[in-house]
């Protein structure tokens, strides 16, 4: 059906007048050169009827997607659900055809809509949609179905397609709904630009779209053809620029749209692109920047907030960007139109005055405000501003705007003095508005300045630099010039106010004109202007080269409000002019398309709006001319002006009179009817130049005012060829018609536009709320009508709206081709195929061009319907076969499944029967076993009771027999003990004797070794002699061979010389030679035999020597083994002897304690079973093969009574040490190391340091390790307890143990001596944590000095001092009071060294636990939390340096709590101060490194507010350190210097004024250049908007980094965390520990030790009891 617009679709009749076409008769019945069918005849009015489809073709299939017109949403998505005929009211069948439509979601809408089951007829869409932004989809309150009759279908239905196009001309269905749908879909995808032919439609997104206007986008569109890339405003600018270059003519870009549609921003982007494309390559010209900076300057003085837009242009602007011969920008010229002067004195709420008034009050400095009399005043203090409550804007900052305005004035070349004068004039306008008037007490018709306005008058005169009295006189009176002279007429209060407002408007208007003129002088094409001035009018021969430019027109859009005045009349008049130009251009492009495709077309006459332009601007009877007549006659009122309009324009169709008003009139514009109020037309059309105002302002000391008003006065007085006669001057003012001036300006503008090639950009405002992502359909349609976009669509629909490329047409509709046309689908025969398809569809009036197929309106829908039917038939055929195949497969699967079910069912029943049989058998077996178990249980209980009775009886009897036997054997045991002691003593003597034999064997061994060495040397000598003889023999044989050869040669020579001699002499000589040769051979054989005999002799002697050496080695090994056995036996004997000696001291206890052990020991001695050397754990000598001959002492035998007692004591102590609550058992109230004292005194008591082999130290250390590992992760107090006690015990050992200096009996160096020597040599190595001896807290300074002097004494290789000799050079240390120094044995030294490593481990565990507790909070402490206003975040508040209240987060508080916890653990356990200071130094170093690195790696942390937040947290840490300085010392505070200086750099003020030396030497001396550069480049101020350091400092930093990099210096800006343990000898030796070794009573001991009598010695004083 026909898809044309009609009058019912839109409310404006003129927009939908029928298309006029020239008469042309064609009778072509098939497609070809002419129309594809019979053309209708013209009707009586000469207008062709609209093309419609036949009734039989007017139908929709069920399921066809359509658009349905809706009263609220314009168009709603739906689909045809039913097509029928009949009476809709009665249901009886009639010839009426109707369509039932079901509303559906738009395919790309993406939202689920709720639907209700009710229907509606007629226009459709009776419900109100709720959806956001008026989307095309059905809203939640919309009915589900609607019925539309055939008569309404042409208006209320439109075919719907799913695709979107970048150029809407390419749409398959080009109608109102399709255009709206295409724009909405693209807007939802942030594609705000769309083409309609050569017209660009720009929908304002009201948000910033990333990368849409950046440098890369400009580079992308540079050189691209329009349509090659996606639609963009850059593409339009590029097309204009390229067309100017190629054709040489000027271009114009017309940007239009309603207020808030984005015209100003679009014009800015066009100018930016042109400046980018045509800029000078060397960058020397600053014209581009000046042209761009004119935008913020003119916006400040000419833009204001309106109801619809926060930055609405209240003037029109046409910017000509001029180009030179090299196609580069050479300058620009700006022309403005109709500044809204009335806004200066009158502002309606919620609008604002011009931006510059608010900028000067918000952004001017105190000095500037004082100069302009604005100090202490706000917006509410000025009458011209306080008429509206709207002061500040959300998206526009007046402070920033003031800075941009000042910068723009500086860039365009306005000097500083001129800028001060301009803002002084602006301030003067504000002060003028505050001048109020009151009736004069002398004359009621006169007025005077009110007393409360005297200050404002003085301020206005001061800033305008005029005389105050003259200004006051000009405001309250007016001079009337007559033939008799001048008369001074006083003005009433109302006239004075009107006079004041006139002065303000004139002052601001002329200031704006001066700014525009000043800008044109600064950015104009000076070179061409100079050439034009030189040429002048004297050029007669040849044409002067035409200046090329690209004009950008940014003018107000069509306006229609509830109340429309003179400003809206002028604005709409300008839009009518531009719309006429637009229609002509669009119609011309449509005709060019037809000519390009070479199709037969007739001239299409578009609807012209010349009639409304005639109503407005014709010279006789036009609105402007009638208005000028009324203005000349001063007595004319608004009612008289309105009646004049009604009488003069009563017959005009575009002019009408409202029914309820006598002064309003209505004009029928192209965008709709607008009613104007003529009440203020006369007043606003007058542009008076009052002579008093001009005279006062022309005498101003301000250069700008004097220049402006002197020139204007000359222009006014010199208007016309002759000055007006004196009688004509009724008053001292000159009237100028604003409307007439604006008409001339428009005519000049249109003349200039007609001389250029136009390009159109239509800006659209998607919603009235100016919010993003909201699309109001009805509002968009209205703007498309006002912008002429739908007019362009209508012109397209008047011809051939549906057009497709031939390839796409054949691809889509090729299936409709008949059989005879299918063969023409070959290249070159497409026309035959196209004609076949179109004839099958029974279409008429179609055209086939060169590359496209052109269809009349509605014909594309017919083809789509036929295509859908054919596809439907094909789908049914396919479905038939597919369904049959699916049914067959389903039957086969069902049959197979039934057979499978039967098979498994039978198997299931069989398995069930078998399972029952098995269960019966299993139950029987279970019963049998249960009965058997019951019987077994009864028997076992009976047996157990009998055994218990027997056990008790036998035990009683055994105990009785044991007591009797014990009494009998007591005497025998004592006798046996005496006897065993005697045997042991005898055995010791034998062992000692055997040991002396061992010494002799060792001497024999050394003698045998010497003999072996001698034999080996002798064998080696023999071998050498043999080699020498062999060499000698070989030399002799070689010499003999040479002699024989020489003799042979001589013989041959003799034979040659004496050949002639007789043969007899030759025979004799030969015989002699043979004998000599034989003799030589025999001698060689004898020598060879002699050599062989010599070799055999040497081999035999060598074998005998080897055998002798083996025998000596075997004897030596046997001697060593025997010696080892003797040593073991000797050790056992000495142990037994000591045991017996101790037992004899306490015979009763020892004998009773020995028990069976004594007999076992004796058996071992009697049987001679030795102990293995490895079991004694005696270290071997570090020397060569000679074994140490000293006899080492040994721990008593484990079976002796004393050893058992000691072991029990050891085990008791080890059990306490290994107890899981050991740290609580040995804890003391004052935190003293009681455990260390107990262990130390026990070791002294048990003489453990004198033993050379013992496992006691290993057990104690193992107990320490187990307790530490058990509490390592979850109990820092326990770890601190073990650290304190281990350190104290280590301290005591360092002051008690000394190296052993004993020698063995024979004067040699023993094994322990060499071990001590090794330990001493290790002590000379670089100091570790605990390998040196500490000092005791109780020692005096002299003692410490002596100790240090002794400690520095060197140690020789044998572990003795420099004095040499036995025991003369021992190391001197200061002993503990009451404790003698003990000669150190190897186990003691090893225990001391292991204890040091244990301390290191405990220290490391505490450090790592603390780091792990602090680490999770450091990342959050580096960034301030984002909190809402008024919200309370958990944490502690503190005061920063400025006194501002800063709220710390819970993470800082968690760190402080963790530090308090670990410090409490240290103080409770009395950890030494040296360890405490080192510990917290490393912890704060860890905090410094992590926070500093996180700050440098995260830019969001390098902000001003974040710096304040971190500084507050660091202040808390410093307070914590100051509070606990007595415990942790001053060292930890220094570790925070990096983060402190970095934060100080963030929060310091006036960073741009800091030099590099101030930063590096005074502010941040610790930070490196890389770190400072990193902080300065990442800094951003989120609080005050300040800048980082200046660019010169950054450049110096960068150069310094480059120098360091070239010198291969370290250039990383991150810190490293040192996890090593930094201790030295002096810290342990000089640590002042006050350790009390005495316990006052048993109450001071742990309960477990106080109850044990074996540890009673701990309660005695060490000095009294001795240890």
């Amino acid at each position: 059906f026909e898809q044309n617009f009609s009058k019912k679709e839109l409310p404006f009749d003129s927009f939908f007048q029928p298309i006029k076409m020239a008469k042309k008769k064609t009778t072509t019945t098939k497609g070809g050169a002419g129309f594809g069918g019979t053309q209708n005849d013209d009707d009586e009015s000469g207008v062709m009827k609209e093309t419609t489809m036949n009734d039989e073709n007017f139908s929709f299939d069920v399921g066809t997607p359509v658009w349905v017109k809706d009263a609220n949403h314009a168009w709603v998505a739906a689909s045809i659900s039913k097509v029928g005929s009949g009476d809709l009211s009665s249901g009886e069948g009639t010839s009426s055809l109707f369509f039932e439509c079901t509303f559906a979601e738009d395919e790309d809408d993406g939202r689920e809509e709720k639907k209700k089951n009710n229907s509606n007829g007629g226009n459709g869409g009776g419900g109100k949609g709720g959806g956001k932004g008026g989307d095309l989809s059905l809203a939640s309150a919309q009915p589900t179905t609607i019925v539309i009759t055939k008569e309404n279908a042409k208006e209320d239905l439109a075919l719907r397609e799913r695709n979107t196009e970048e150029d809407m001309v390419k749409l398959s269905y080009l109608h109102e709904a399709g255009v709206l749908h295409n724009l909405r879909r693209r807007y939802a995808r942030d594609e705000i630009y769309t083409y309609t032919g050569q017209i660009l439609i720009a929908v304002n997104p009201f948000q910033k779209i990333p990368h849409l206007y950046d440098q890369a986008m400009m580079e992308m569109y540079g050189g691209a053809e329009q349509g090659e890339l996606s639609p963009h405003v850059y593409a339009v600018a590029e097309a204009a620029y390229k067309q100017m270059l190629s054709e040489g003519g000027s271009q114009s870009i017309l940007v239009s749209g309603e207020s808030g549609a984005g015209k100003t921003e679009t014009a800015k982007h066009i100018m930016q692109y042109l400046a980018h494309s045509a800029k000078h390559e060397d960058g020397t010209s600053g014209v581009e920047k000046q042209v761009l900076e004119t935008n913020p300057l003119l916006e400040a003085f000419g833009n204001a907030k309106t109801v619809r837009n926060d930055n609405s242009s209240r003037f029109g602007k046409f910017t000509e960007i001029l180009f030179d011969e090299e196609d580069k920008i050479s300058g620009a010229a700006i022309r403005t139109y109709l500044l809204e002067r009335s806004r200066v004195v009158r502002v309606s709420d919620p609008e604002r005055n011009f931006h510059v008034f608010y900028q000067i009050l918000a952004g001017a400095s105190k000095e500037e405000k004082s100069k302009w009399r604005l100090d202490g005043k706000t917006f509410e203090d000025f009458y011209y501003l306080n008429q509206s409550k709207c002061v500040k804007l959300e998206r526009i900052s007046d402070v920033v705007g003031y800075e941009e305005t000042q910068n723009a004035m500086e860039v365009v070349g306005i000097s500083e003095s001129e800028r001060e004068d301009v803002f002084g004039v602006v301030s003067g306008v504000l002060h003028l508005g505050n001048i109020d008037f009151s009736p004069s007490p002398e004359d009621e018709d006169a007025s005077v300045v009110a007393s409360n306005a005297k200050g404002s008058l003085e301020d206005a005169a001061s800033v305008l630099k005029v005389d105050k009295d003259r200004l006051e006189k000009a405001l309250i009176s007016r001079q009337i010039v007559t033939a008799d002279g001048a008369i001074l007429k006083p003005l009433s209060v109302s006239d004075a106010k009107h006079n004041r407002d006139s002065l303000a408007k004139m002052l601001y208007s002329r200031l704006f004109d001066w700014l525009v003129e000043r800008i044109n002088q600064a950015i104009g094409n000076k070179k061409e202007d100079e050439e034009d001035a030189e040429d002048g009018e004297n050029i007669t021969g040849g044409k002067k080269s035409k200046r090329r430019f690209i004009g950008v027109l940014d003018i107000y859009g069509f306006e229609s409000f509830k109340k429309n005045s003179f400003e809206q009349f002028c604005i709409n008049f300008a839009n009518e002019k531009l719309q006429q130009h637009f229609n002509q251009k669009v119609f011309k492009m449509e005709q060019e398309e037809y000519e390009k495709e070479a199709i037969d077309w007739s001239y299409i006459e578009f609807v012209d709006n010349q009639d409304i332009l005639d109503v407005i601007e014709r010279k006789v009877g036009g609105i402007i001319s009638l208005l000028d007549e009324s203005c000349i006659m001063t007595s004319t009122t608004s009612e008289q002006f309105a009646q004049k309009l009604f009488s003069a324009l009563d017959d005009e169709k575009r002019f009408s009179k409202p029914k309820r008003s006598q002064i309003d009139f209505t004009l029928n514009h192209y965008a709709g009817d607008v009613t104007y109020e003529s009440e203020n037309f006369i007043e606003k059309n007058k542009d008076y130049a009052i002579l008093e105002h001009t005279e006062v302002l022309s005498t101003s000391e301000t250069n700008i005012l004097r220049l402006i008003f002197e020139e204007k006065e000359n222009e006014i007085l010199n208007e016309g060829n002759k000055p007006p006669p004196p009688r004509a001057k009724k008053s001292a003012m000159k009237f100028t018609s604003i409307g007439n001036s604006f008409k001339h300006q428009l005519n000049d503008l249109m003349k200039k536009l007609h001389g250029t090639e136009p390009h159109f950009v239509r800006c659209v405002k998607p919603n009235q709320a100016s919010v993003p992502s909201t699309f109001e359909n009805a509002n968009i349609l209205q703007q498309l009508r006002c912008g002429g976009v739908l007019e362009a669509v209508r012109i397209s629909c008047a011809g051939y709206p549906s057009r497709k490329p031939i390839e796409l047409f054949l691809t889509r509709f090729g299936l409709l081709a008949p059989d005879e046309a299918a063969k023409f689908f070959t290249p070159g025969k497409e026309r035959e195929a196209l004609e076949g398809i179109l004839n099958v569809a029974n279409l008429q009036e179609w055209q086939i061009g060169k590359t496209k197929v052109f269809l009349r309106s509605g014909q594309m829908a017919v083809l789509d319907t036929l295509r859908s039917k054919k596809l439907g038939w094909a789908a049914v055929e396919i479905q038939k076969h597919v369904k049959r195949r699916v049914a067959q497969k389903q039957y086969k699967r069902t049959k197979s499944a039934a057979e499978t079910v039967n098979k498994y069912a039978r198997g299931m029943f069989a398995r069930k029967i078998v399972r029952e049989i098995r269960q019966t058998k299993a139950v029987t077996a279970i019963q049998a076993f249960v009965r058997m178990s019951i019987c077994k249980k009864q028997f076992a209980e009976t047996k157990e009771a009998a055994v218990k009775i027997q056990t008790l009886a036998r035990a009683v009897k055994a105990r009785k027999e044991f007591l009797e036997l014990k009494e009998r054997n007591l005497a025998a045991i004592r006798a046996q003990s005496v006897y065993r002691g005697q045997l042991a003593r005898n055995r010791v003597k034998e062992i000692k004797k055997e040991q002396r034999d061992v010494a002799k064997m060792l001497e024999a061994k050394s003698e045998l070794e010497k003999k072996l060495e001698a034999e080996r040397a002798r064998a080696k000598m023999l071998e050498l002699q043999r080699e020498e003889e062999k060499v000698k023999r070989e030399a002799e044989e070689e010499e003999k061979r040479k002699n024989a050869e020489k003799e042979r040669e001589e013989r041959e020579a003799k034979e040659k010389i004496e050949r002639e001699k007789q043969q007899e002499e030759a025979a004799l000589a030969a015989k002699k030679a043979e004998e000599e040769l034989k003799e030589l051979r025999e001698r060689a054989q004898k020598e060879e035999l002699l050599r062989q005999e010599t070799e055999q002799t040497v081999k035999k002697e060598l074998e005998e020597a080897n055998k002798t050496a083996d025998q000596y080695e075997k004897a030596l090994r046997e001697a060593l083994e025997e010696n080892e056995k003797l040593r073991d036996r000797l050790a056992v004997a000495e142990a037994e002897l000591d045991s017996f000696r101790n037992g004899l001291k306490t015979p009763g206890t020892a004998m009773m304690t020995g028990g069976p052990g004594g007999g076992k020991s004796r058996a071992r001695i009697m049987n001679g079973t030795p102990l293995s050397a490895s079991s004694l754990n005696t270290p071997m000598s570090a020397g060569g093969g000679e074994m140490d001959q000293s006899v080492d002492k040994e721990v008593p035998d484990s079976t002796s009574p004393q050893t058992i007692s000691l072991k029990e004591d050891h085990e008791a102590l080890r059990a306490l040490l290994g107890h899981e609550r050991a740290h609580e058992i040995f804890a003391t109230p004052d935190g003293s190391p009681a455990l260390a004292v107990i262990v130390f005194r026990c070791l002294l008591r048990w003489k453990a340091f004198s033993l050379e082999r013992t496992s006691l130290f290993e057990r104690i250390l193992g107990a320490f390790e187990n307790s530490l590992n058990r509490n390592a992760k979850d109990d820092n107090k326990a770890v601190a307890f073990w650290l304190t006690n281990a350190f104290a015990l280590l301290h005591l050992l360092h002051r008690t143990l000394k190296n052993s200096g004993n020698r063995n009996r024979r004067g040699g160096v023993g094994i322990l001596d060499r071990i001590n020597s090794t330990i001493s040599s290790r002590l000379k190595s670089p100091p570790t944590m605990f390998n040196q001896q500490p000092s005791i807290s109780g020692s005096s300074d002299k003692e410490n000095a002596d100790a240090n002097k002794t400690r520095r004494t060197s140690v020789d290789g044998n572990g003795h001092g420099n004095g040499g000799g036995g025991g003369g050079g021992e190391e001197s240390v200061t002993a503990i009071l009451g404790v003698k120094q003990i000669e150190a044995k190897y186990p003691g030294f090893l225990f001391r060294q292991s204890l040091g490593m244990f301390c290191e481990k405990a220290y490391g565990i505490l450090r790592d636990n603390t780091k792990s507790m602090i680490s999770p909070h450091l990342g959050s402490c580096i960034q301030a939390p984002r909190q809402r206003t008024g919200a309370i975040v958990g944490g502690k508040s503190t005061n920063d340096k400025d006194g501002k209240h800063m709220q710390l987060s819970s993470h800082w508080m968690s760190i402080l709590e963790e530090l308090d916890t670990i410090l409490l653990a240290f103080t409770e356990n009395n950890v030494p101060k040296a360890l405490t200071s080192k510990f917290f130094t490393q912890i704060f170093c860890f905090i410094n490194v992590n926070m500093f690195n996180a700050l440098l790696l995260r830019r969001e942390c390098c902000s001003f507010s974040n710096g304040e937040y971190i500084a507050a947290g660091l202040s808390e840490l410093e307070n914590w350190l100051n509070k606990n300085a007595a415990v942790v010392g001053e060292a930890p505070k220094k570790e925070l210097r990096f983060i402190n200086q970095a934060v100080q750099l963030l929060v310091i003020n006036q960073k741009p004024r800091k030099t590099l030396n101030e930063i590096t030497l005074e502010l941040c001396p610790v930070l490196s250049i890389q770190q400072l550069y990193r902080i300065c480049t990442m800094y951003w101020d989120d609080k005050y908007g300040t800048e980082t350091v200046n660019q010169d400092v950054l450049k110096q930093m960068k150069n310094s980094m480059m120098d360091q990099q070239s010198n291969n210096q370290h250039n990383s800006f991150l810190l490293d965390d040192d996890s090593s343990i930094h201790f030295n000898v002096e810290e342990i030796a000089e640590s002042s520990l006050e350790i009390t070794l005495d316990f006052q009573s048993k109450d001071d001991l742990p309960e477990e030790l106080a109850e044990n009598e074996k540890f009673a010695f701990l309660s005695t004083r060490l000095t009294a009891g001795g240890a």
Side-chain angles (χ1 to χ4, degrees), residues 60-66 68 78-83 98-102 148 157 159-160:
F60 289 105
D61 289 337
V62 175
T64 303
V66 294
V68 178
S79 60
I80 302 297
S81 59
K82 182 179 179 182
V83 178
F98 67 89
F99 303 99
E100 181 177 311
C101 302
T102 301
I148 300 176
L157 287 181
L159 281 176
R160 176 163 56 98

Side-chain angles (χ1 to χ4, degrees), residues 1174-1374:
S1174 61
S1175 66
L1176 299 177
N1177 296 325
T1178 302
M1180 298 301 294
S1181 173
E1186 186 176 0
M1187 179 180 290
D1188 185 15
Q1189 298 179 12
S1190 65
V1191 180
D1192 300 333
K1193 292 185 179 181
E1194 185 181 4
V1195 179
D1197 186 55
S1198 60
T1199 58
S1200 64
Q1202 185 184 10
T1203 304
I1204 294 175
S1205 177
L1206 288 175
K1207 282 189 175 181
E1208 291 177 357
D1209 298 347
H1210 299 171
E1211 194 64 24
L1213 180 61
R1214 189 194 64 78
L1216 285 177
L1217 294 178
H1219 196 277
E1220 62 182 1
R1221 294 189 302 104
H1223 59 282
E1224 298 176 0
I1225 295 174
F1226 292 94
T1228 58
D1230 58 349
S1232 59
L1235 175 62
V1237 174
I1238 291 171
V1239 173
F1240 178 73
R1241 293 195 58 178
C1242 287
L1243 294 176
L1244 291 178
R1245 178 73 174 181
W1246 297 334
K1247 300 180 180 179
F1249 301 113
S1250 300
L1251 300 177
E1252 293 181 345
R1253 285 191 306 273
T1254 179
S1255 61
L1256 176 60
F1257 297 123
E1258 295 178 1
R1259 291 197 294 271
I1260 292 175
L1261 199 60
F1264 278 24
E1265 290 282 350
N1266 294 335
S1267 299
L1268 180 64
N1269 294 334
R1270 186 167 50 248
N1271 302 313
K1273 294 184 179 179
D1274 54 354
D1275 194 351
N1276 286 334
K1277 289 186 178 180
V1279 179
F1281 169 83
W1282 289 109
L1283 176 61
T1284 301
N1285 285 274
F1287 187 86
L1289 182 57
L1290 181 63
H1291 184 86
L1292 295 174
L1293 294 181
H1294 270 283
R1295 301 310 306 268
T1296 303
L1297 301 184
K1298 67 177 181 178
N1299 294 340
S1300 177
N1302 293 335
R1303 302 298 180 110
N1304 58 7
R1305 296 185 184 94
R1306 299 181 61 187
V1309 180
I1311 295 176
L1312 290 180
D1313 295 332
R1314 285 194 293 271
I1315 293 174
N1316 292 335
S1317 175
T1318 304
I1319 295 174
S1320 298
S1321 65
R1322 290 180 181 176
L1323 291 175
K1324 295 162 79 174
S1325 63
T1328 60
M1329 179 179 175
F1330 298 106
N1331 63 354
Q1332 302 197 20
Q1333 298 176 354
S1335 62
I1336 302 300
S1337 60
S1339 303
S1340 62
D1341 296 337
K1342 183 177 181 180
E1343 291 174 345
N1344 291 335
D1346 294 338
N1348 293 333
K1349 181 178 180 181
T1350 305
R1351 193 176 300 115
R1352 289 190 295 269
T1353 303
S1354 62
V1355 181
D1356 61 8
N1358 294 328
H1360 302 284
N1362 295 331
E1370 292 181 3
E1371 187 174 343
S1372 175
V1373 294
T1374 303

Side-chain angles (χ1 to χ4, degrees), residues 141 172 298 418 424 498 547 573 691 782 801 821 851 908 911 954 1083 1107 1160 1266 1270-1271 1287 1298 1326 1355 1606 1637:
S172 298
L298 293 180
E418 290 177 335
H498 180 73
R547 189 167 57 177
F573 172 43
L691 183 60
Q782 177 64 21
T851 61
M908 182 186 65
R911 285 190 293 274
R954 292 171 182 169
R1083 187 183 300 174
K1107 290 180 180 180
K1160 183 177 180 181
N1266 294 335
R1270 186 167 50 248
N1271 302 313
F1287 187 86
K1298 67 177 181 178
V1355 181
S1606 61
L1637 299 180

